[in-house]
Amino acid sequence: MAKWDNMLAIVWLLRSRNSMTAEQLSERLEISVRTIYRYIDALCASGVPIVADPGHDGGYHLPKSFREAPLFFNLHELKSLFHAASFARGAGYPYEEDLSHALEKIQQNLNYKQKAYLDRHMSGFDVMFSQHNELMHRLLKQLEQTVAEGQTIDVFYDKRKGEGPVERRIDPYGLVYRQNYWYVVAFCHLRQELRTFRIDRISYLSYSGLFFERPSDFSASKYLQNQWSFDWEAKEPTAMVHVRGKPEVMDYLCQIMHHCLTERVDEEAHFKINVEWMENKFSAFLLTFGTGIQVLDPQALRNKMAEKARQLANYYETSEHLDGVKR
């Protein structure tokens, strides 16, 4: 067996018996007594409270209070657990309180060396938390539960198209966190197909009393990856888009559009994009970069961006959209 398998076996043997000598452990695991000593030292250093009884009838045993699953993480594993918890909190993880309790249990079983190591590595590691309100946390908990239990729910969802919230009955298949937003992939009863809903746009959730069965091989992350792989962006007819910009802006743009990137040279890049998508969504997307980028070709894209910019400027120059708000 591998090293950690043997160490785990030692813990379980000591848990199942009152006491065992190094010779007995050596015979049972078919490894040398010297190796047993080395593994026990490593287990003690990792926080497992193994007690050594001297004398003729002595041996090794675990305290009666040791009833929980053994925590024998090495230092790097401990660091990674607490770092990962920081990211979970930053993502708005809905069970943050339970996560904190779990980490407290781990910390209670750490020895001085482990605590000192963890303090050093946590004091210089921070994650800027996103703003998550109580409604968001409550919705995440409810959705996680409905996904696990296969419950059909009714939600009020704001598509942000000026229509206000609309009611949808959905079968939630899975939750995904991507680029600072939580999404639920669900079967929409109205559209009769899978749809993706941003959770921060859900204002209300209620239980329908109905249940569904999710396909056994379904993966929400794979579904979104396929949906957002932008395969349709390269469908014919296509056009080559030539863009120039500041290095940091180009790095970000090429990272997002890597699936369409055909060439990158210093501050310029070429993308192969579906014409319809280019004129509609891509033109609006590029406007968000302001003067950080410059479209060199094609002229049709430049014209479309200019048109959208004029429409936006006209929108804010007129008072029609204010609907009674005093200027």
Side-chain angles (χ1 to χ4, degrees):
M1 289 191 291
K3 172 184 176 181
W4 285 103
D5 291 332
N6 278 318
M7 293 173 68
L8 181 60
I10 290 174
V11 172
W12 284 108
L13 284 170
L14 294 180
R15 286 188 64 184
S16 63
R17 305 189 182 192
N18 291 330
S19 179
M20 291 187 73
T21 65
E23 289 75 13
Q24 289 171 328
L25 289 168
S26 171
E27 182 178 353
R28 182 66 180 269
L29 299 178
E30 298 182 350
I31 54 179
S32 68
V33 173
R34 176 176 292 183
T35 301
I36 292 293
Y37 290 146
R38 188 170 68 249
Y39 286 170
I40 287 178
D41 288 341
L43 285 167
C44 292
S46 297
V48 180
I50 297 177
V51 178
D53 294 324
H56 177 72
D57 296 325
Y60 295 103
H61 74 272
L62 289 168
K64 292 183 179 180
S65 60
F66 189 73
R67 293 291 183 267
E68 301 294 332
L71 300 171
F72 49 96
F73 303 112
N74 63 38
L75 296 179
H76 297 298
E77 290 169 339
L78 277 172
K79 176 179 65 177
S80 66
L81 282 173
F82 281 80
H83 282 177
S86 296
F87 278 97
R89 293 191 184 100
Y93 181 63
Y95 299 101
E96 180 179 342
E97 184 176 350
D98 298 307
L99 175 63
S100 297
H101 289 164
L103 296 180
E104 288 174 4
K105 287 183 178 180
I106 293 176
Q107 287 178 308
Q108 290 172 0
N109 288 278
L110 300 182
N111 56 38
Y112 174 79
K113 178 181 178 181
Q114 291 171 315
K115 290 180 179 179
Y117 177 88
L118 199 57
D119 287 342
R120 290 197 306 272
H121 284 270
M122 290 302 296
S123 62
F125 185 89
D126 291 306
V127 177
M128 297 294 290
F129 291 175
S130 303
Q131 296 296 323
H132 299 282
N133 55 37
E134 288 301 319
L135 174 61
M136 183 72 170
H137 280 277
R138 185 168 70 252
L139 285 172
L140 280 171
K141 287 184 178 181
Q142 290 175 315
L143 286 166
E144 191 274 334
Q145 191 73 18
T146 58
V147 169
E149 297 181 358
Q151 297 186 61
T152 299
I153 57 176
D154 296 313
V155 299
F156 281 96
Y157 186 71
D158 190 349
K159 297 188 292 184
R160 304 292 169 88
K161 293 184 178 180
E163 304 170 359
V166 294
E167 188 173 5
R168 290 286 186 269
R169 173 160 288 186
I170 61 174
D171 298 335
Y173 281 12
L175 299 173
V176 178
Y177 181 79
R178 182 180 186 268
Q179 296 183 350
N180 296 323
Y181 293 105
W182 281 96
Y183 299 86
V184 56
V185 179
F187 179 81
C188 178
H189 287 228
L190 177 66
R191 303 301 183 189
Q192 286 296 297
E193 63 182 2
L194 285 176
R195 290 294 180 95
T196 303
F197 301 88
R198 248 177 63 175
I199 296 177
D200 62 316
R201 295 181 181 177
I202 297 175
S203 58
Y204 179 76
L205 180 156
S206 63
Y207 302 98
S208 68
L210 302 176
F211 292 84
F212 67 93
E213 186 172 346
R214 179 179 56 183
S216 59
D217 59 345
F218 179 80
S219 167
S221 59
K222 288 182 179 179
Y223 170 80
L224 283 185
Q225 185 176 6
N226 291 333
Q227 289 294 304
W228 291 339
S229 64
F230 305 100
D231 292 337
W232 45 274
E233 291 177 10
K235 289 182 178 179
E236 297 294 339
T238 59
M240 294 301 298
V241 177
H242 186 190
V243 178
R244 176 193 297 149
K246 299 177 181 178
E248 62 273 16
V249 176
M250 293 303 297
D251 288 341
Y252 179 70
L253 179 62
C254 290
Q255 180 182 0
I256 295 177
M257 301 296 298
H258 65 89
H259 43 274
C260 299
L261 181 65
T262 60
E263 183 181 0
R264 167 75 189 277
V265 180
D266 298 329
E267 299 179 359
E268 297 185 15
H270 293 79
F271 303 95
K272 184 179 181 181
I273 298 177
N274 172 263
V275 172
E276 181 181 354
W277 189 84
M278 175 190 73
E279 294 180 350
N280 293 293
K281 295 185 179 296
F282 194 51
S283 58
F285 173 64
L286 292 179
L287 283 175
T288 64
F289 292 93
T291 58
I293 64 167
Q294 179 185 7
V295 176
L296 303 179
D297 288 304
Q299 185 62 41
L301 177 57
R302 293 167 57 89
N303 295 341
K304 198 67 178 181
M305 291 177 64
E307 177 186 344
K308 288 183 179 292
R310 285 193 294 269
Q311 291 174 348
L312 186 62
N314 182 65
Y315 175 78
Y316 283 103
E317 287 173 354
T318 63
S319 59
E320 295 178 359
H321 65 285
L322 297 179
D323 293 331
V325 178
K326 293 183 179 180
R327 298 186 66 183

